[in-house]
Amino acid sequence: MPFLSDTLARVKPSPTIAVSTMAAELKAAGRDVIGLGAGEPDFDTPDNIKAAGKAAIDAGKTKYTAPDGIPELKQAICDKLARDNGLAYVPAQISVGTGGKQTLYNALVATLNVGDEVLIPAPYWVSYPDMVLLAGGTPVPIEATLEAGFKITPAQLEAAITPKTKWLIFNSPSNPTGAGYTWDELKGLCDVLLRHPHVWVMSDDMYEHLVFDDFEFCTPAQVEPKLYERTLTCNGVSKAYAMTGWRIGYAAGPEMLIAAMRKVQSQSTSNPCTISQWAAVEALNGAQGFIASNNEMFKRRRDLVVAALNGAEGITCATPDGAFYVYPSIAGCIGKTSAAGVKITNDEVFATALLEECGVAVVFGAAFGLSPNFRVSYATSEAALQEACKRIQAFCAGLK
Ligand code: PLP
């Protein structure tokens, strides 16, 4: 009998973490590598937030807390949801977890039975399908193409729903494409859900604050209040507040679901890090001004990368509404051969050749469920981005 579980055999390790690890190993071996794989801001956690973490340590706030969060943080989250999203929640409807990832995972573990289907627009954040598989469910991708702006249509959603559908996972702005749904586009999807009362929506709003130009963020429970009773609104402090290592995420939804998630958490991680929870209170309650200035910087980087990639032979790159990713198509490179003699048969081969021949680390599109593409995270310096794009242009120009 094999020692490892059948469930484990169904999932794969995170490819984004694998790319970052490979790039770090090559760097450690002395290679000149530019990493565009990591999904985290390249700047430090703001000082007021760090100070709140230090103050928590000094005040002895270093013990276990309630499994799904301290009351002060739950209240700060309720205030945030009212302020930013026009959503009314009370603390009993809030679950705080160890990163956005754990809250999503808790919700899936708490609700999925074998055979339950979870709709996931593709390209998707790499962890959604594997978390669904770990929780015993069946991920069902709905393909959103470059031509469709990487967004699914109401007709596609309608066609994908079956009696076994339990959740739609919705993510706008999206990792890996940066595409954001407008109010009207989201309303179209919500109208479909209204016709299928057995389907719940898990909205992953992680990139809410990272939006550009005149794009206005919106979330399902806000766009269609009739869905409030079957929506889990998920978010976290990792990306907007440069707090990826602090590990705090949260979700808001019906009390019954939040209680179920609490049960899962109480028997797994007990509670999210106490010190990080106090830092997150400050993140949500404190000054928010730096978000706008960071966005100005991200927008400059986005524009630089989109223009440079569209200048590379065989690459087409859309301009995203938010997050800090672009998801260029390499359809024009497929079938060609690199300077080192590698035939580019798919996006994984492309990404490996780009890393080995030019020292640029990107994540291949197959990992996100839509090929042939790759994902660039532009959360790095303009100088590094300029150099990386120059290398990508040279790599593509060298394809014969
Ligand atoms: N949701 C999306 C769409 C993400 O891209 C990420 C991180 O990459 C997460 C959730 C998880 O965030 P956290 O680091 O808070 O677990």
Side-chain angles (χ1 to χ4, degrees):
M1 216 184 359
F3 181 62
L4 300 177
S5 72
D6 295 344
T7 303
L8 191 73
R10 283 198 293 272
V11 305
K12 50 190 183 319
S14 164
T16 45
I17 293 174
V19 168
S20 306
T21 310
M22 204 198 304
E25 279 168 10
L26 285 173
K27 258 189 202 164
R31 288 278 306 274
D32 167 22
V33 172
I34 305 173
L36 303 180
E40 63 181 349
D42 58 323
F43 42 85
D44 208 357
T45 306
D47 283 343
N48 62 314
I49 300 174
K50 289 201 277 191
K54 291 177 201 167
I57 295 175
D58 290 340
K61 293 171 173 168
T62 54
K63 303 289 170 63
Y64 291 132
T65 70
D68 56 1
I70 54 175
E72 291 81 353
L73 181 52
K74 290 187 175 190
Q75 189 56 55
I77 292 164
C78 292
D79 295 346
K80 178 260 171 248
L81 290 164
R83 178 179 72 224
D84 296 345
N85 313 110
L87 291 173
Y89 287 100
V90 296
Q93 292 177 286
I94 306 295
S95 181
V96 183
T98 301
K101 203 176 226 173
Q102 193 193 11
T103 49
L104 298 166
Y105 185 62
N106 286 348
L108 293 169
V109 168
T111 55
L112 292 184
N113 291 310
V114 172
D116 285 345
E117 295 173 358
V118 178
L119 302 178
I120 306 177
Y124 41 69
W125 178 42
V126 290
S127 294
Y128 297 143
D130 289 281
M131 287 197 290
V132 168
L133 288 167
L134 274 175
T138 304
V140 178
I142 309 176
E143 192 173 291
T145 59
L146 171 72
E147 295 70 33
F150 298 121
K151 292 182 252 190
I152 60 162
T153 62
Q156 281 182 294
L157 177 60
E158 183 83 58
I161 292 173
T162 75
K164 290 182 176 170
T165 308
K166 198 150 227 174
W167 288 102
L168 162 69
I169 300 185
F170 178 76
N171 175 220
S172 163
S174 137
N175 177 2
T177 66
Y181 287 73
T182 64
W183 185 286
D184 289 346
E185 287 166 345
L186 180 50
K187 180 73 174 78
L189 299 182
C190 290
D191 287 346
V192 174
L193 294 177
L194 285 179
R195 291 196 287 277
H196 300 275
H198 67 292
V199 182
W200 285 52
V201 57
M202 190 178 293
S203 184
D204 183 352
D205 300 349
M206 188 55 81
Y207 295 96
E208 163 178 20
H209 290 301
L210 298 162
V211 292
F212 313 121
D213 308 321
D214 50 5
F215 179 78
E216 282 183 33
F217 171 83
C218 53
T219 189
Q222 171 192 30
V223 169
E224 181 45 82
K226 292 196 200 96
L227 289 178
Y228 176 89
E229 284 303 328
R230 49 185 167 114
T231 299
L232 188 67
T233 302
C234 306
N235 208 321
V237 295
S238 296
K239 314 284 174 166
Y241 301 94
M243 290 179 71
T244 46
W246 297 76
R247 311 305 304 130
I248 295 292
Y250 56 87
E255 271 185 52
M256 167 277 291
L257 174 59
I258 295 298
M261 291 165 64
R262 183 184 313 129
K263 194 165 155 188
V264 174
Q265 190 151 295
S266 71
Q267 295 293 21
S268 53
T269 57
S270 285
N271 64 264
C273 169
T274 308
I275 300 150
S276 299
Q277 290 190 64
W278 285 102
V281 170
E282 174 60 22
L284 295 176
N285 287 347
Q288 306 288 311
F290 68 93
I291 292 178
S293 42
N294 285 342
N295 281 4
E296 281 305 308
M297 183 181 61
F298 277 131
K299 179 175 146 51
R300 271 200 313 277
R301 294 172 177 181
R302 176 200 68 173
D303 293 343
L304 179 167
V305 169
V306 169
L309 290 177
N310 279 320
E313 245 177 277
I315 291 186
T316 313
C317 184
T319 303
D321 305 298
F324 38 63
Y325 309 105
V326 289
Y327 198 64
S329 160
I330 57 153
C333 304
I334 297 295
K336 295 186 178 173
T337 302
S338 76
V342 175
K343 183 149 191 214
I344 308 298
T345 47
N346 59 42
D347 51 31
E348 187 166 1
V349 174
F350 178 94
T352 308
L354 183 66
L355 179 57
E356 282 172 359
E357 296 178 34
C358 300
V360 178
V362 298
V363 187
F364 56 93
F368 304 97
L370 187 82
S371 291
N373 291 67
F374 64 91
R375 188 193 76 173
V376 163
S377 163
Y378 55 83
T380 189
S381 73
E382 281 182 37
L385 290 171
Q386 258 152 359
E387 175 59 24
C389 288
K390 226 168 69 191
R391 292 186 196 182
I392 294 172
Q393 286 176 348
F395 179 77
C396 290
L399 294 176
K400 294 283 172 298

